Amino acid sequence: MLNLVLFGPPGAGKGTQSKKLIEKYDLIHLSTGDLLRGEIAQGTELGLEAKKLMDDGKLVPDAVVIGMISNKLDANKDAKGFIFDGFPRTVAQAEALDQLLESKESAISGMIALEVGDDELERRLLERGKESGRPDDANPEVIRKRIKEYNDKTAPVAGFYQQQHKFTSINGVGSVNEIFAEIVDVNESYKK
Ligand code: ADP
């Protein structure tokens, strides 16, 4: 199985690159952000709770997102592999993911991090907010809070995979196709 973690701050381009990876490698895309927005759209209790935190730029509790990922892994037993997008976002989530995969006799193949500077991120997110209607993309204050949450809680996840020799960082500024070509190169090395 090919299990890839796509990593990077909000606005780094994880969603865009995930779409291209799914097509090329026939993988299942697991985005906790998309799953949470699905819960909000359906008006579930989980969605209502998550919305308050998301609109405020904060992370949703680990147990909530770990539960959602566990369900999706169970629902896709025959998958060739998964792209994890926006998950794990804390070291506790990364540990839980290792355990979930181990119980299925699988493991993470590797992490690919997209590096983009804070000013460029803020610009991209505000631009995305104009079209996406995502409330968390419309407000510069919320965007800065999300970037801070990323630096405080999520950036350490890179070290978790570095220790396992499963970490590669690439430049996330450039054309979508150039960046994709680099991701594919790294991915091929993870497949070996
Ligand atoms: P982006 O990568 O652009 O920030 P996402 O769609 O991945 O957007 O996430 C949007 C919001 O959903 C986050 O700001 C956070 O509140 C919540 N969220 C998504 N994934 C997680 C996660 N793994 N752990 C905690 N909160 C999450």
Side-chain angles (χ1 to χ4, degrees):
M1 265 179 111
L2 181 66
N3 294 315
L4 200 63
V5 180
L6 213 49
F7 190 70
K14 301 183 294 287
T16 306
Q17 297 295 339
S18 290
K19 280 195 201 109
K20 295 176 74 72
L21 281 163
I22 300 157
E23 275 173 32
K24 187 170 168 75
Y25 294 102
D26 194 16
L27 304 171
I28 305 268
H29 182 212
L30 294 185
S31 156
T32 39
D34 286 350
L35 292 172
L36 290 166
R37 282 184 288 276
E39 296 282 339
I40 292 172
Q42 287 171 41
T44 65
E45 201 166 316
L46 190 161
L48 285 173
E49 282 305 311
K51 183 171 166 48
K52 287 184 214 150
L53 294 162
M54 290 166 75
D55 286 355
D56 196 27
K58 299 207 184 99
L59 292 183
V60 171
D62 288 337
V64 172
V65 288
I66 292 166
M68 290 193 317
I69 290 287
S70 176
N71 289 340
K72 286 288 167 187
L73 292 177
D74 287 341
N76 292 283
K77 285 207 165 72
D78 297 328
K80 287 188 184 162
F82 296 91
I83 297 179
F84 297 93
D85 165 3
F87 180 92
R89 245 178 167 94
T90 63
V91 172
Q93 291 177 21
E95 285 166 350
L97 180 60
D98 269 4
Q99 277 172 15
L100 282 175
L101 290 173
E102 208 180 297
S103 73
K104 298 177 196 316
E105 282 163 21
S106 188
I108 289 297
S109 313
M111 164 180 270
I112 301 178
L114 297 171
E115 303 275 352
V116 180
D118 287 359
D119 290 348
E120 171 70 8
L121 293 175
E122 201 177 319
R123 195 191 62 73
R124 287 186 189 180
L125 291 172
L126 284 170
E127 195 59 37
R128 182 170 81 184
K130 286 182 199 161
E131 293 142 34
S132 71
R134 270 178 61 169
D136 59 343
D137 283 344
N139 178 334
E141 204 183 313
V142 173
I143 289 176
R144 267 176 241 132
K145 240 197 233 177
R146 281 158 63 204
I147 296 175
K148 184 171 180 331
E149 282 276 89
Y150 175 83
N151 288 327
D152 291 348
K153 297 182 184 155
T154 306
V157 176
F160 180 88
Y161 290 98
Q162 241 157 359
Q163 278 174 5
Q164 298 187 15
H165 309 288
K166 290 180 178 176
F167 176 83
T168 312
S169 165
I170 68 173
N171 181 3
V173 183
S175 79
V176 170
N177 286 332
E178 272 163 16
I179 296 165
F180 184 62
E182 277 204 53
I183 292 178
V184 167
D185 276 352
V186 175
N187 204 27
E188 292 299 320
S189 75
Y190 285 152
K191 279 168 71 184
K192 282 171 195 153

PDB file of all heavy atoms in Angstrom, residues 10-11 14 32-33 36-37 54 58-60 65 86-87 89 93 128 134 136 146, ligand 1:
ATOM      1  N   PRO A  10      -1.840  25.922   6.165  1.00  0.00           N
ATOM      2  CA  PRO A  10      -3.039  26.240   5.409  1.00  0.00           C
ATOM      3  C   PRO A  10      -2.663  27.069   4.180  1.00  0.00           C
ATOM      4  O   PRO A  10      -1.887  28.012   4.297  1.00  0.00           O
ATOM      5  CB  PRO A  10      -3.896  27.080   6.364  1.00  0.00           C
ATOM      6  CG  PRO A  10      -3.240  27.036   7.696  1.00  0.00           C
ATOM      7  CD  PRO A  10      -1.902  26.381   7.561  1.00  0.00           C
ATOM      8  N   GLY A  11      -3.184  26.674   3.032  1.00  0.00           N
ATOM      9  CA  GLY A  11      -2.903  27.428   1.812  1.00  0.00           C
ATOM     10  C   GLY A  11      -1.653  26.975   1.079  1.00  0.00           C
ATOM     11  O   GLY A  11      -1.276  27.555   0.066  1.00  0.00           O
ATOM     12  N   LYS A  14      -2.047  21.729  -0.591  1.00  0.00           N
ATOM     13  CA  LYS A  14      -2.227  20.292  -0.358  1.00  0.00           C
ATOM     14  C   LYS A  14      -3.424  19.752  -1.140  1.00  0.00           C
ATOM     15  O   LYS A  14      -3.343  18.683  -1.743  1.00  0.00           O
ATOM     16  CB  LYS A  14      -2.426  20.006   1.140  1.00  0.00           C
ATOM     17  CG  LYS A  14      -1.267  20.475   2.014  1.00  0.00           C
ATOM     18  CD  LYS A  14      -1.475  20.100   3.474  1.00  0.00           C
ATOM     19  CE  LYS A  14      -2.630  20.802   4.143  1.00  0.00           C
ATOM     20  NZ  LYS A  14      -2.407  22.236   4.449  1.00  0.00           N
ATOM     21  N   THR A  32      -9.303  15.747   6.383  1.00  0.00           N
ATOM     22  CA  THR A  32     -10.140  15.966   7.574  1.00  0.00           C
ATOM     23  C   THR A  32     -10.919  17.278   7.455  1.00  0.00           C
ATOM     24  O   THR A  32     -12.046  17.367   7.932  1.00  0.00           O
ATOM     25  CB  THR A  32      -9.295  15.949   8.874  1.00  0.00           C
ATOM     26  OG1 THR A  32      -8.060  16.614   8.640  1.00  0.00           O
ATOM     27  CG2 THR A  32      -9.042  14.531   9.335  1.00  0.00           C
ATOM     28  N   GLY A  33     -10.323  18.278   6.769  1.00  0.00           N
ATOM     29  CA  GLY A  33     -11.051  19.539   6.551  1.00  0.00           C
ATOM     30  C   GLY A  33     -12.332  19.288   5.750  1.00  0.00           C
ATOM     31  O   GLY A  33     -13.414  19.758   6.112  1.00  0.00           O
ATOM     32  N   LEU A  36     -14.881  17.370   7.834  1.00  0.00           N
ATOM     33  CA  LEU A  36     -15.536  18.246   8.819  1.00  0.00           C
ATOM     34  C   LEU A  36     -16.548  19.161   8.137  1.00  0.00           C
ATOM     35  O   LEU A  36     -17.656  19.365   8.653  1.00  0.00           O
ATOM     36  CB  LEU A  36     -14.489  19.073   9.578  1.00  0.00           C
ATOM     37  CG  LEU A  36     -13.607  18.284  10.556  1.00  0.00           C
ATOM     38  CD1 LEU A  36     -12.389  19.106  10.986  1.00  0.00           C
ATOM     39  CD2 LEU A  36     -14.413  17.864  11.788  1.00  0.00           C
ATOM     40  N   ARG A  37     -16.173  19.699   6.971  1.00  0.00           N
ATOM     41  CA  ARG A  37     -17.135  20.561   6.243  1.00  0.00           C
ATOM     42  C   ARG A  37     -18.355  19.757   5.806  1.00  0.00           C
ATOM     43  O   ARG A  37     -19.471  20.283   5.754  1.00  0.00           O
ATOM     44  CB  ARG A  37     -16.452  21.255   5.057  1.00  0.00           C
ATOM     45  CG  ARG A  37     -15.603  22.468   5.511  1.00  0.00           C
ATOM     46  CD  ARG A  37     -15.008  23.233   4.334  1.00  0.00           C
ATOM     47  NE  ARG A  37     -13.939  22.490   3.695  1.00  0.00           N
ATOM     48  CZ  ARG A  37     -12.663  22.486   4.101  1.00  0.00           C
ATOM     49  NH1 ARG A  37     -12.292  23.214   5.140  1.00  0.00           N
ATOM     50  NH2 ARG A  37     -11.760  21.774   3.478  1.00  0.00           N
ATOM     51  N   MET A  54     -13.533  25.848  14.008  1.00  0.00           N
ATOM     52  CA  MET A  54     -12.963  26.113  12.678  1.00  0.00           C
ATOM     53  C   MET A  54     -13.103  27.586  12.311  1.00  0.00           C
ATOM     54  O   MET A  54     -12.175  28.201  11.797  1.00  0.00           O
ATOM     55  CB  MET A  54     -13.638  25.225  11.629  1.00  0.00           C
ATOM     56  CG  MET A  54     -13.261  23.765  11.794  1.00  0.00           C
ATOM     57  SD  MET A  54     -14.318  22.647  10.859  1.00  0.00           S
ATOM     58  CE  MET A  54     -13.721  22.889   9.196  1.00  0.00           C
ATOM     59  N   LYS A  58      -9.188  27.590  15.166  1.00  0.00           N
ATOM     60  CA  LYS A  58      -8.594  26.624  16.110  1.00  0.00           C
ATOM     61  C   LYS A  58      -8.724  25.199  15.587  1.00  0.00           C
ATOM     62  O   LYS A  58      -9.567  24.915  14.732  1.00  0.00           O
ATOM     63  CB  LYS A  58      -9.315  26.717  17.453  1.00  0.00           C
ATOM     64  CG  LYS A  58      -9.199  28.080  18.109  1.00  0.00           C
ATOM     65  CD  LYS A  58      -9.318  27.935  19.622  1.00  0.00           C
ATOM     66  CE  LYS A  58      -9.296  29.282  20.306  1.00  0.00           C
ATOM     67  NZ  LYS A  58     -10.662  29.741  20.635  1.00  0.00           N
ATOM     68  N   LEU A  59      -7.914  24.313  16.134  1.00  0.00           N
ATOM     69  CA  LEU A  59      -8.003  22.903  15.763  1.00  0.00           C
ATOM     70  C   LEU A  59      -9.191  22.254  16.462  1.00  0.00           C
ATOM     71  O   LEU A  59      -9.559  22.618  17.575  1.00  0.00           O
ATOM     72  CB  LEU A  59      -6.725  22.153  16.134  1.00  0.00           C
ATOM     73  CG  LEU A  59      -5.455  22.515  15.362  1.00  0.00           C
ATOM     74  CD1 LEU A  59      -4.296  21.615  15.816  1.00  0.00           C
ATOM     75  CD2 LEU A  59      -5.653  22.395  13.864  1.00  0.00           C
ATOM     76  N   VAL A  60      -9.758  21.250  15.802  1.00  0.00           N
ATOM     77  CA  VAL A  60     -10.821  20.421  16.366  1.00  0.00           C
ATOM     78  C   VAL A  60     -10.140  19.364  17.248  1.00  0.00           C
ATOM     79  O   VAL A  60      -8.995  18.977  16.967  1.00  0.00           O
ATOM     80  CB  VAL A  60     -11.599  19.787  15.175  1.00  0.00           C
ATOM     81  CG1 VAL A  60     -12.579  18.739  15.622  1.00  0.00           C
ATOM     82  CG2 VAL A  60     -12.285  20.883  14.354  1.00  0.00           C
ATOM     83  N   VAL A  65     -11.166  13.945  15.078  1.00  0.00           N
ATOM     84  CA  VAL A  65     -10.606  13.677  13.739  1.00  0.00           C
ATOM     85  C   VAL A  65     -10.040  12.260  13.637  1.00  0.00           C
ATOM     86  O   VAL A  65     -10.142  11.619  12.583  1.00  0.00           O
ATOM     87  CB  VAL A  65      -9.548  14.733  13.318  1.00  0.00           C
ATOM     88  CG1 VAL A  65     -10.215  16.054  12.989  1.00  0.00           C
ATOM     89  CG2 VAL A  65      -8.484  14.939  14.358  1.00  0.00           C
ATOM     90  N   GLY A  86      -4.166  17.293   5.545  1.00  0.00           N
ATOM     91  CA  GLY A  86      -4.668  18.019   6.718  1.00  0.00           C
ATOM     92  C   GLY A  86      -4.743  17.140   7.954  1.00  0.00           C
ATOM     93  O   GLY A  86      -5.323  17.531   8.964  1.00  0.00           O
ATOM     94  N   PHE A  87      -4.166  15.979   7.894  1.00  0.00           N
ATOM     95  CA  PHE A  87      -4.125  15.018   8.998  1.00  0.00           C
ATOM     96  C   PHE A  87      -2.880  14.170   8.807  1.00  0.00           C
ATOM     97  O   PHE A  87      -2.614  13.768   7.689  1.00  0.00           O
ATOM     98  CB  PHE A  87      -5.379  14.129   8.978  1.00  0.00           C
ATOM     99  CG  PHE A  87      -5.416  13.112  10.097  1.00  0.00           C
ATOM    100  CD1 PHE A  87      -6.046  13.413  11.292  1.00  0.00           C
ATOM    101  CD2 PHE A  87      -4.809  11.872   9.943  1.00  0.00           C
ATOM    102  CE1 PHE A  87      -6.070  12.480  12.325  1.00  0.00           C
ATOM    103  CE2 PHE A  87      -4.827  10.954  10.974  1.00  0.00           C
ATOM    104  CZ  PHE A  87      -5.469  11.248  12.162  1.00  0.00           C
ATOM    105  N   ARG A  89      -2.396  16.491  12.266  1.00  0.00           N
ATOM    106  CA  ARG A  89      -2.107  17.902  12.524  1.00  0.00           C
ATOM    107  C   ARG A  89      -1.529  18.128  13.907  1.00  0.00           C
ATOM    108  O   ARG A  89      -1.210  19.260  14.259  1.00  0.00           O
ATOM    109  CB  ARG A  89      -3.401  18.689  12.411  1.00  0.00           C
ATOM    110  CG  ARG A  89      -3.457  19.699  11.272  1.00  0.00           C
ATOM    111  CD  ARG A  89      -4.834  20.322  11.330  1.00  0.00           C
ATOM    112  NE  ARG A  89      -4.993  21.495  10.529  1.00  0.00           N
ATOM    113  CZ  ARG A  89      -5.469  21.510   9.291  1.00  0.00           C
ATOM    114  NH1 ARG A  89      -5.761  20.391   8.666  1.00  0.00           N
ATOM    115  NH2 ARG A  89      -5.648  22.650   8.669  1.00  0.00           N
ATOM    116  N   GLN A  93      -2.118  12.949  16.966  1.00  0.00           N
ATOM    117  CA  GLN A  93      -2.810  12.388  15.797  1.00  0.00           C
ATOM    118  C   GLN A  93      -1.873  11.482  14.999  1.00  0.00           C
ATOM    119  O   GLN A  93      -2.280  10.447  14.473  1.00  0.00           O
ATOM    120  CB  GLN A  93      -3.352  13.507  14.890  1.00  0.00           C
ATOM    121  CG  GLN A  93      -4.494  14.296  15.507  1.00  0.00           C
ATOM    122  CD  GLN A  93      -4.975  15.450  14.626  1.00  0.00           C
ATOM    123  OE1 GLN A  93      -4.753  15.473  13.419  1.00  0.00           O
ATOM    124  NE2 GLN A  93      -5.637  16.417  15.250  1.00  0.00           N
ATOM    125  N   ARG A 128      -8.502  32.688  -2.087  1.00  0.00           N
ATOM    126  CA  ARG A 128      -9.383  31.517  -2.096  1.00  0.00           C
ATOM    127  C   ARG A 128     -10.721  31.850  -1.442  1.00  0.00           C
ATOM    128  O   ARG A 128     -11.770  31.390  -1.873  1.00  0.00           O
ATOM    129  CB  ARG A 128      -8.700  30.361  -1.364  1.00  0.00           C
ATOM    130  CG  ARG A 128      -9.505  29.074  -1.349  1.00  0.00           C
ATOM    131  CD  ARG A 128      -8.699  27.895  -0.837  1.00  0.00           C
ATOM    132  NE  ARG A 128      -8.645  27.858   0.620  1.00  0.00           N
ATOM    133  CZ  ARG A 128      -7.935  26.967   1.314  1.00  0.00           C
ATOM    134  NH1 ARG A 128      -7.201  26.069   0.703  1.00  0.00           N
ATOM    135  NH2 ARG A 128      -7.936  27.002   2.628  1.00  0.00           N
ATOM    136  N   ARG A 134     -15.554  29.926   2.108  1.00  0.00           N
ATOM    137  CA  ARG A 134     -15.160  29.380   3.418  1.00  0.00           C
ATOM    138  C   ARG A 134     -14.983  30.518   4.401  1.00  0.00           C
ATOM    139  O   ARG A 134     -14.146  31.392   4.193  1.00  0.00           O
ATOM    140  CB  ARG A 134     -13.850  28.602   3.286  1.00  0.00           C
ATOM    141  CG  ARG A 134     -14.053  27.148   2.965  1.00  0.00           C
ATOM    142  CD  ARG A 134     -12.741  26.432   2.797  1.00  0.00           C
ATOM    143  NE  ARG A 134     -11.898  26.455   3.982  1.00  0.00           N
ATOM    144  CZ  ARG A 134     -10.809  25.709   4.108  1.00  0.00           C
ATOM    145  NH1 ARG A 134     -10.439  24.908   3.146  1.00  0.00           N
ATOM    146  NH2 ARG A 134     -10.083  25.788   5.205  1.00  0.00           N
ATOM    147  N   ASP A 136     -13.522  30.632   7.189  1.00  0.00           N
ATOM    148  CA  ASP A 136     -12.185  30.721   7.785  1.00  0.00           C
ATOM    149  C   ASP A 136     -11.158  31.313   6.817  1.00  0.00           C
ATOM    150  O   ASP A 136     -10.031  31.613   7.206  1.00  0.00           O
ATOM    151  CB  ASP A 136     -11.714  29.366   8.345  1.00  0.00           C
ATOM    152  CG  ASP A 136     -11.655  28.258   7.295  1.00  0.00           C
ATOM    153  OD1 ASP A 136     -12.270  28.411   6.218  1.00  0.00           O
ATOM    154  OD2 ASP A 136     -10.993  27.239   7.572  1.00  0.00           O
ATOM    155  N   ARG A 146      -4.816  30.615  12.264  1.00  0.00           N
ATOM    156  CA  ARG A 146      -4.597  29.257  11.744  1.00  0.00           C
ATOM    157  C   ARG A 146      -3.123  29.011  11.491  1.00  0.00           C
ATOM    158  O   ARG A 146      -2.617  27.909  11.743  1.00  0.00           O
ATOM    159  CB  ARG A 146      -5.396  29.054  10.449  1.00  0.00           C
ATOM    160  CG  ARG A 146      -6.852  28.788  10.730  1.00  0.00           C
ATOM    161  CD  ARG A 146      -7.729  29.105   9.547  1.00  0.00           C
ATOM    162  NE  ARG A 146      -7.462  28.279   8.392  1.00  0.00           N
ATOM    163  CZ  ARG A 146      -7.745  28.643   7.142  1.00  0.00           C
ATOM    164  NH1 ARG A 146      -8.270  29.830   6.899  1.00  0.00           N
ATOM    165  NH2 ARG A 146      -7.506  27.834   6.152  1.00  0.00           N
TER     166      ARG A 146
HETATM  167  P1  ADP B   1      -6.456  24.385   5.561  1.00  0.00           P
HETATM  168  O1  ADP B   1      -5.416  23.326   5.315  1.00  0.00           O
HETATM  169  O2  ADP B   1      -6.614  25.300   4.407  1.00  0.00           O
HETATM  170  O3  ADP B   1      -6.305  25.067   6.895  1.00  0.00           O
HETATM  171  P2  ADP B   1      -8.484  22.391   6.120  1.00  0.00           P
HETATM  172  O4  ADP B   1      -9.635  22.270   5.225  1.00  0.00           O
HETATM  173  O5  ADP B   1      -7.474  21.291   6.148  1.00  0.00           O
HETATM  174  O6  ADP B   1      -7.871  23.770   5.678  1.00  0.00           O
HETATM  175  O7  ADP B   1      -8.971  22.612   7.638  1.00  0.00           O
HETATM  176  C1  ADP B   1      -9.881  23.611   8.002  1.00  0.00           C
HETATM  177  C2  ADP B   1     -10.087  23.591   9.527  1.00  0.00           C
HETATM  178  O8  ADP B   1     -10.602  22.310   9.945  1.00  0.00           O
HETATM  179  C3  ADP B   1      -8.825  23.769  10.378  1.00  0.00           C
HETATM  180  O9  ADP B   1      -8.492  25.128  10.580  1.00  0.00           O
HETATM  181  C4  ADP B   1      -9.252  23.070  11.688  1.00  0.00           C
HETATM  182  O10 ADP B   1     -10.106  23.886  12.460  1.00  0.00           O
HETATM  183  C5  ADP B   1     -10.068  21.900  11.214  1.00  0.00           C
HETATM  184  N1  ADP B   1      -9.261  20.678  11.024  1.00  0.00           N
HETATM  185  C6  ADP B   1      -9.007  20.073   9.833  1.00  0.00           C
HETATM  186  N2  ADP B   1      -8.236  18.990  10.017  1.00  0.00           N
HETATM  187  C7  ADP B   1      -7.964  18.909  11.348  1.00  0.00           C
HETATM  188  C8  ADP B   1      -7.194  18.029  12.165  1.00  0.00           C
HETATM  189  N3  ADP B   1      -6.540  16.990  11.647  1.00  0.00           N
HETATM  190  N4  ADP B   1      -7.144  18.265  13.510  1.00  0.00           N
HETATM  191  C9  ADP B   1      -7.802  19.276  14.047  1.00  0.00           C
HETATM  192  N5  ADP B   1      -8.529  20.170  13.337  1.00  0.00           N
HETATM  193  C10 ADP B   1      -8.624  19.995  12.000  1.00  0.00           C
END
